[in-house]
């Protein structure tokens, strides 16, 4: 993975705005994996991306449903694998059809299914280093 950019977001509103910027880089078939602990800002960033892609539905983390499908300029597939314990639990979802289709895949907790992820993807790492204020987030983007 090659580091593309690093950004310090001072506030959740700026995280949304940065998500809209990320969306400008995405096209049909894009897969974006979001890494970060609980409360790191993954869903906030995804809301910004979806807003820029003209998604009208309310964007929420699909923790219990595993996937939310949204309609925008392109189909958007929002995955959350937080509660998954093995690759076998998600194989029946038909991930390859999503990952190699014409939509955009946004994946929270991708480390759970790392072996199933396409090699060609963006990785977004969100963190809150101890030296930062509570509302700030460090966002690092890597491209394969």
């Amino acid at each position: 993975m090659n580091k593309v950019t690093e950004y310090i977001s001072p506030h959740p509103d700026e995280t949304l705005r940065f998500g809209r910027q990320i969306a400008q880089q995405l096209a049909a078939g894009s897969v974006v994996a979001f890494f970060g602990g609980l409360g790191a800002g993954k869903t906030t960033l995804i809301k910004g991306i979806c807003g820029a892609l003209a998604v009208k539905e309310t964007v929420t983390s699909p923790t219990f449903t595993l996937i939310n499908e949204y309609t925008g300029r392109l189909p958007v597939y929002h995955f959350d694998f937080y509660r998954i314990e093995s690759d076998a639990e998600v194989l029946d979802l038909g991930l390859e059809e999503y990952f190699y289709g014409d939509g955009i895949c946004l994946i929270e907790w991708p480390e759970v299914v790392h072996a199933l992820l396409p090699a060609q993807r963006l990785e977004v790492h969100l963190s809150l280093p101890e030296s930062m204020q509570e509302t700030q987030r460090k966002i690092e983007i890597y491209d394969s």
Side-chain angles (χ1 to χ4, degrees):
M1 288 280 174
N2 300 313
K3 190 179 217 178
V4 176
T5 192
E6 180 176 311
Y7 176 71
I8 304 298
S9 174
H11 190 271
D13 290 341
E14 282 299 308
T15 302
L16 282 169
R17 187 190 62 73
F18 190 64
R20 290 191 293 272
Q21 287 181 339
I22 292 171
Q24 303 310 311
Q25 312 300 315
L26 303 179
S30 293
V31 175
V32 186
F34 295 84
F35 295 84
L38 289 171
K42 297 180 296 292
T43 304
T44 301
L45 198 57
I46 288 170
K47 285 179 180 182
I49 291 170
C50 288
L53 294 172
V55 168
K56 299 294 185 218
E57 296 99 333
T58 300
V59 176
T60 60
S61 188
T63 302
F64 295 100
T65 58
L66 300 182
I67 181 171
N68 287 340
E69 297 186 15
Y70 305 119
T71 304
R73 283 190 292 110
L74 295 166
V76 177
Y77 308 111
H78 180 189
F79 298 88
D80 185 326
F81 295 132
Y82 179 71
R83 299 191 179 279
I84 298 299
E85 295 182 16
S86 71
D87 293 351
E89 291 183 58
V90 297
L91 289 175
D92 289 340
L93 289 176
L95 291 180
E96 287 190 0
E97 291 179 33
Y98 288 108
F99 290 170
Y100 301 102
D102 293 331
I104 293 175
C105 294
L106 307 173
I107 307 164
E108 294 189 50
W109 303 99
E111 56 271 39
V112 177
V113 295
H114 194 266
L116 302 175
L117 296 176
Q120 184 64 36
R121 65 180 181 271
L122 278 181
E123 287 192 2
V124 178
H125 295 257
L126 295 103
S127 61
L128 175 57
E130 289 183 25
S131 61
M132 291 185 170
Q133 295 178 6
E134 186 176 318
T135 61
Q136 294 180 306
R137 295 295 182 268
K138 181 178 181 180
I139 305 169
E140 299 171 288
I141 300 179
Y142 298 84
D143 194 359
S144 56

